Amino acid sequence: MASSLTKDSADRGTPGDERTFFGHPRGLATLFMTEMWERFSYYGMKALLPLYLVAPNGLDLGAAATITITAVYGSMVYLLTLPGGWIADRFLGPRRTVAVAGVVIMLGHLTLALPSAGVFYLGLALVAIGSGLLKANISTMVGHLYDGPNDPRRDGGFTVFYIGINAGAFAAPLAIGTVGEKVGWHLGFGMAAVGMALGLAQFLLGSRHLSERSDIVPTPMPAAEKAAVLRKALLWLAVPVVFYGALGLSGHYTVNWAVIPVTLIGLLVPIWVIARIKRDRDLDAAEQSRMSAFVWFFVAAAIFWMIYDQGASTLAVFASESADNSVLGWEFPVSWYQSLNPLMIMAAAPVFAWLWVWLNRRGKEPSTIVKFSAALLLVGASFFLFLAPLAIAGDGEKAAALWIAGIYFVQTLGELTLSPVGLSVTTKMAPVKYASQMMGVWFLAVSAGDSVTALLSNEAVGGVNLDRAGFVAVEATLAALAGVALYLYRNKVKRLMGDVR
């Protein structure tokens, strides 16, 4: 990437020096590479997870349990971005929080690499905790590189950053997935640990190029308050320890005693957090109005991610059981499907970034709310398309791999219309008091969507077969109707956003 750094004498608002990364602040290169390696580790493990859970030589779980666990894990990763932002805001600042996160994620992957089912869920928990610490804060640091919310390079910078995410996500299933499926599951998980170690090294070596704002603890906690928080945390921790210890000793413990409460937390906490911020009297009238607009974006994103994230669970399980995973007679590992989405993003993201700028110069760029509406229509269309391979498999045949690729392609178009735009608009609309935490609140939309999936697929709760045509059609229709409703209310949302565009 060093060859991409060029001199630029123009004033671009770059902290520290005039060197740029594709016309963006040089610190974007550090965050780009850090996130690329972190995503390499995360998506490599994620590609293996459903296959390992359902495989006879893995944990040998059923499809419903596999989808539930995968969805709960995804929900927890994004739910934990909220305390990740809070820790940065009150204790460590974004930069130090990301460094700690890298260590925790690496330890989680090393735990998954151990050939013992007993520590498998501990490894998942560590990766989820570390990812929660990292995700909100590294995106916040991207925002710190720019000169305020109206910097015209801001959306483009987040799109470039998004390419880094997907470069790692593309390589991971090809490397980690192949090793995990063909050589050994735990060796694949071990490769994910190596990827995170490289990302951590990149971050520590290049952090001098980041904005000084990333070192600041926005609202530091006084010593007395820290002691009170620690006492409360220990008390809350003691409650589940005692409760689950009693369940285990009495012989009544089952996995659903952990899965169902965690899933409900993933659904209810986002509602509670947004309501709490809305009731905060420290927010001025403009911030309150922007938070009302944010609720619209949040609900739209939750519906989008509920369907989109099934690409790594429902669709992956379907592909492993009912698809002809071959091209011209050459059979490929099922995990390779997970490389399609990032490959498509890397190809299309520069086009989208150029398109938004080109339309903006002509005064024709769609508003953020219209982009979100289009994303919902696209993700709905992807599940309408899913009905075709489901029908083929229902007739006892194997669905062609191109059907699966087509579903991922339509979802990718929707993702590019929603995800980088959502990251950008969240940093623009965030109240000053909740600077780092708001990025965590944005990621809670994923938690809410995944929690709905987990509840529906859990045989003890919803018991819904998510890979059946009837329910796939219901989800597709829900997304399409939500997209239309969002478009019809676009002017109201624009007014609530105030001067943010």
Side-chain angles (χ1 to χ4, degrees):
M1 290 299 174
S3 62
S4 300
L5 297 171
T6 58
K7 283 287 185 181
D8 189 347
S9 59
D11 180 12
R12 297 181 180 272
T14 307
D17 58 33
E18 295 177 345
R19 289 173 66 83
T20 66
F21 178 68
F22 295 116
H24 291 273
R26 188 180 179 187
L28 186 61
T30 295
L31 299 177
F32 177 99
M33 293 295 291
T34 302
E35 184 72 346
M36 184 189 76
W37 282 113
E38 188 272 331
R39 292 291 87 182
F40 175 85
S41 69
Y42 175 81
Y43 280 103
M45 187 276 290
K46 190 175 180 180
L48 287 182
L49 180 59
L51 305 178
Y52 173 71
L53 292 173
V54 80
N57 63 338
L59 293 189
D60 197 19
L61 303 177
T66 295
I67 293 171
T68 297
I69 291 172
T70 304
V72 169
Y73 167 71
S75 174
M76 287 301 100
V77 166
Y78 290 93
L79 179 66
L80 290 167
T81 58
L82 187 65
W86 180 79
I87 288 170
D89 276 350
R90 305 303 308 272
F91 289 97
L92 299 176
R95 188 186 310 202
R96 285 185 290 274
T97 303
V98 168
V100 171
V103 174
V104 175
I105 293 171
M106 184 173 62
L107 291 175
H109 289 305
L110 288 172
T111 303
L112 291 172
L114 299 174
S116 171
V119 297
F120 178 78
Y121 293 106
L122 172 62
L124 282 183
L126 288 172
V127 176
I129 292 168
S131 297
L133 288 170
L134 184 141
K135 285 190 69 63
N137 290 297
I138 199 166
S139 297
T140 297
M141 287 192 289
V142 173
H144 286 167
L145 296 172
Y146 296 94
D147 186 20
N150 294 318
D151 190 321
R153 300 168 299 153
R154 195 181 186 95
D155 279 8
F158 274 100
T159 301
V160 171
F161 178 69
Y162 216 60
I163 295 173
I165 293 174
N166 288 281
F170 166 72
L174 302 180
I176 296 174
T178 302
V179 171
E181 285 191 68
K182 302 299 183 182
V183 181
W185 300 110
H186 298 286
L187 183 59
F189 294 135
M191 286 183 65
V194 173
M196 188 63 251
L198 292 172
L200 181 60
Q202 170 67 36
F203 181 77
L204 295 176
L205 291 172
S207 61
R208 66 185 183 278
H209 300 301
L210 302 178
S211 169
E212 293 180 356
R213 293 168 59 196
S214 298
D215 283 323
I216 296 173
V217 181
T219 53
M221 187 176 290
E225 188 178 354
K226 285 182 182 179
V229 168
L230 180 60
R231 286 194 299 270
K232 290 180 181 179
L234 291 174
L235 178 62
W236 280 104
L237 180 62
V239 172
V241 168
V242 172
F243 178 75
Y244 286 107
L247 278 177
L249 291 173
S250 65
H252 291 89
Y253 178 80
T254 66
V255 70
N256 273 329
W257 276 105
V259 168
I260 293 176
V262 167
T263 307
L264 290 173
I265 289 171
L267 184 59
L268 296 177
V269 165
I271 298 171
W272 175 79
V273 167
I274 292 177
R276 174 176 164 272
I277 294 175
K278 278 288 295 171
R279 291 196 306 267
D280 192 334
R281 295 182 180 180
D282 290 341
L283 273 59
D284 60 31
E287 290 176 324
Q288 285 284 0
S289 181
R290 288 196 292 268
M291 279 303 302
S292 295
F294 181 80
V295 172
W296 287 81
F297 294 115
F298 184 91
V299 173
I303 296 171
F304 179 89
W305 296 118
M306 179 185 72
I307 296 175
Y308 176 92
D309 272 2
Q310 290 183 57
S313 56
T314 306
L315 199 56
V317 173
F318 174 83
S320 69
E321 297 176 348
S322 304
D324 177 16
N325 305 310
S326 64
V327 176
L328 300 177
W330 174 69
E331 187 172 352
F332 55 86
V334 178
S335 57
W336 282 23
Y337 281 116
Q338 301 306 312
S339 286
L340 289 175
N341 168 259
L343 176 64
M344 294 169 182
I345 285 179
M346 287 188 291
V351 177
F352 272 71
W354 169 84
L355 179 64
W356 301 144
V357 173
W358 185 81
L359 290 172
N360 181 269
R361 289 172 179 169
R362 287 156 180 77
K364 297 180 179 180
E365 183 182 3
S367 65
T368 300
I369 199 72
V370 171
K371 292 175 183 176
F372 269 59
S373 177
L376 284 169
L377 292 172
L378 286 165
V379 81
S382 75
F383 260 38
F384 280 125
L385 183 61
F386 190 15
L387 295 174
L390 284 171
I392 293 170
D395 292 335
E397 300 181 15
K398 292 284 188 179
L402 283 177
W403 284 114
I404 311 298
I407 295 168
Y408 284 123
F409 174 71
V410 178
Q411 289 186 346
T412 298
L413 297 180
E415 181 183 0
L416 283 169
T417 309
L418 179 140
S419 190
V421 177
L423 290 170
S424 181
V425 80
T426 299
T427 62
K428 293 177 186 178
M429 297 199 301
V432 174
K433 183 177 179 180
Y434 298 97
S436 294
Q437 292 180 57
M438 273 303 294
M439 193 59 70
V441 174
W442 162 250
F443 287 126
L444 288 181
V446 187
S447 177
D450 285 353
S451 292
V452 172
T453 298
L455 287 172
L456 290 171
S457 61
N458 193 316
E459 293 175 333
V461 184
V464 175
N465 291 320
L466 296 182
D467 60 350
R468 295 297 182 266
F471 197 78
V472 167
V474 168
E475 290 184 278
T477 302
L478 170 65
L481 291 175
V484 171
L486 202 58
Y487 181 79
L488 293 176
Y489 282 89
R490 65 192 182 280
N491 291 328
K492 176 180 180 179
V493 179
K494 286 181 186 178
R495 287 193 297 272
L496 290 171
M497 292 173 69
D499 60 354
V500 173
R501 292 290 180 265

